[in-house]
Amino acid sequence: MTGAERHFDDSGGDDGLADGLERLWTPHRMTYISGEDRPAGGYEKPTGCPFCLAPGLPPDESLVVARGEHVFAVLNLYPYNPGHLLVCPYRHVADYTELDVPETAELAAFTKDAMRVVRHVSNAHGFNLGMNQGGVAGAGIAAHLHQHVVPRWGGDANFMPVIGRTKVLPQLLADTRDLFAKAWPA
């Protein structure tokens, strides 16, 4: 049964009747939610960690936007908003306190560059920046530190995520990666 074939009554129940409304689905999120793409050995070891593997993949598969000496910027495969970037050290470390001085400095510089690039490319009005340290704090991949750079726009928490319970991303991730990569400072 498709979304257009389902009907939700005033109580929030689903009576299964067609309502004529089109639904926008984000089925790629279920892979993350269900853990289907989680490696058998987990993320704890670099061999299964997507942040360790991404820099070695071809650009069209990795979603890596920019590479530095100690860190890289990559599009989030499960973005909260269009243009959601992650700044990750190449080294497989879990905790911010484990970064050395050069890694910390480059992570901060890449975060600033990410904000500038996203503003330039998409006119973001603001940002949420942060690191979830540990699974209990919300880190989906707690074994490899990553800084979130989430662009925000006035009204971006509109009816779609609030009422429709879905997020509409207007651009393919590969196209977003290309825009950001071209705009990243040399």
Side-chain angles (χ1 to χ4, degrees):
M1 182 177 296
T2 68
E5 296 167 333
R6 300 180 81 83
H7 178 273
F8 295 91
D9 63 30
D10 292 339
S11 67
D14 178 358
D15 64 13
L17 299 175
D19 65 0
L21 297 176
E22 293 295 323
R23 302 282 186 244
L24 295 176
W25 298 103
T26 56
H28 66 280
R29 292 282 306 165
M30 282 310 297
T31 302
Y32 174 74
I33 292 166
S34 69
E36 289 176 31
D37 63 348
R38 185 178 303 262
Y43 298 129
E44 289 70 31
K45 296 182 180 174
T47 55
C49 174
F51 299 138
C52 289
L53 299 174
L57 296 173
D60 60 332
E61 293 177 34
S62 72
L63 299 177
V64 172
V65 171
R67 300 166 189 267
E69 185 178 343
H70 304 287
V71 304
F72 62 97
V74 61
L75 285 171
N76 188 334
L77 187 57
Y78 306 105
Y80 300 146
N81 258 353
H84 179 171
L85 286 166
L86 303 171
V87 180
C88 308
Y90 290 110
R91 193 163 59 95
H92 188 82
V93 298
D95 198 85
Y96 185 68
T97 62
E98 296 177 50
L99 293 179
D100 61 28
V101 172
E103 288 169 329
T104 303
E106 193 171 55
L107 187 132
F110 259 59
T111 300
K112 290 166 96 174
D113 284 340
M115 291 173 66
R116 289 181 186 115
V117 166
V118 174
R119 271 194 190 113
H120 173 76
V121 170
S122 65
N123 196 29
H125 300 152
F127 292 88
N128 290 116
L129 304 175
M131 293 179 210
N132 300 325
Q133 294 284 266
V136 71
I141 302 175
H144 196 131
L145 176 124
H146 51 285
Q147 165 89 350
H148 291 263
V149 180
V150 182
R152 300 298 305 272
W153 294 268
D156 65 7
N158 61 22
F159 77 97
M160 288 305 293
V162 176
I163 305 296
R165 292 175 285 182
T166 191
K167 179 68 83 171
V168 179
L169 299 177
Q171 189 172 54
L172 296 173
L173 288 173
D175 294 341
T176 305
R177 190 211 74 80
D178 291 344
L179 282 172
F180 287 178
K182 288 176 187 166
W184 205 270

